[in-house]
Amino acid sequence: DAKTTQPNSMESNEEEPVHLPCNHSTISGTDYIHWYRQLPSQGPEYVIHGLTSNVNNRMASLAIAEDRKSSTLILHRATLRDAAVYYCILREYGGSQGNLIFGKGTKLSVKP
Amino acid sequence: DAGVIQSPRHEVTEMGQEVTLRCKPISGHDYLFWYRQTMMRGLELLIYFNNNVPIDDSGMPEDRFSAKMPNASFSTLKIQPSEPRDSAVYFCASSLAVARGTQYFGPGTRLLVL
């Protein structure tokens, strides 16, 4: 799986938007971009994924650069419950491997 | 659906003892994964199953670790004998075959080996 680069930590204020960046300059054409988050003392939780087009769901939005070498997870209004470690992961579509390779992620702190 | 269920949630044992961790995946899911998380190494895959068959166990640290999936609704991860360096949080996850990138994780088992 291709490698991703994320900032170690970010801070946000409650009820403000948060943009979490991820660089993946060696992404291949068949790699999906997945985002997971891990709240304190819980297991990782799927957030969103996409291939080329921007994606929206009830939790977040995913903005993918035109060249696909970077992406941004957008939380539209951060709440205290969004404080977590956010992981950006590449996974080959239809790949034989079933696993996800987790990096260190970005630790998001949300201030009231 | 209840989600992925793991037991026990916490386990404290002494070095040399056998430890068995249990997982019930989401009903209908074809894939089951065992991960381990430590501060030093982060979250790493140990083994995963497809339709109850082990596919990749290259992440299993050594022969002291073994995993089984006797049926579609149950899996175990066994450590025998346990060592202090096995202390970690162990997560089980499951997914559908058509969406292997979307994995659903259990709450984890926090293992402490004294």
Side-chain angles (χ1 to χ4, degrees), chain A residues 28-63:
Chain A
S28 73
T30 54
D31 283 336
Y32 273 85
I33 303 159
H34 291 262
W35 283 83
Y36 279 73
R37 72 179 184 179
Q38 187 172 19
L39 279 65
S41 300
Q42 294 189 27
E45 175 187 29
Y46 166 81
V47 178
I48 200 168
H49 76 279
L51 185 62
T52 56
S53 303
N54 295 344
V55 184
N56 300 295
N57 66 21
R58 64 175 179 82
M59 291 181 70
S61 295
L62 176 60

Side-chain angles (χ1 to χ4, degrees), chain A residues 22 24-25 27 40 43 48-49 64 66 68-70 82 85:
Chain A
C22 181
H24 29 77
S25 58
I27 190 171
I48 200 168
H49 76 279
I64 302 173
E66 198 170 331
R68 301 211 323 126
K69 293 187 177 182
S70 65
D82 290 322
V85 177

Side-chain angles (χ1 to χ4, degrees), chain A residues 34 36 38 42-44 46 87 91 95-100 102, chain B residues 33 35 37 43 45 48 56 91 100-103 105-107 110:
Chain A
H34 291 262
Y36 279 73
Q38 187 172 19
Q42 294 189 27
Y46 166 81
Y87 298 96
R91 191 181 177 281
S96 59
Q97 295 299 314
N99 57 307
L100 298 171
F102 287 80
Chain B
F33 308 84
Y35 291 86
Q37 187 171 36
L43 195 62
L45 178 74
Y48 74 92
D56 184 354
F91 291 103
R100 279 170 285 172
T102 306
Q103 297 181 11
F105 284 74
R110 189 171 296 272

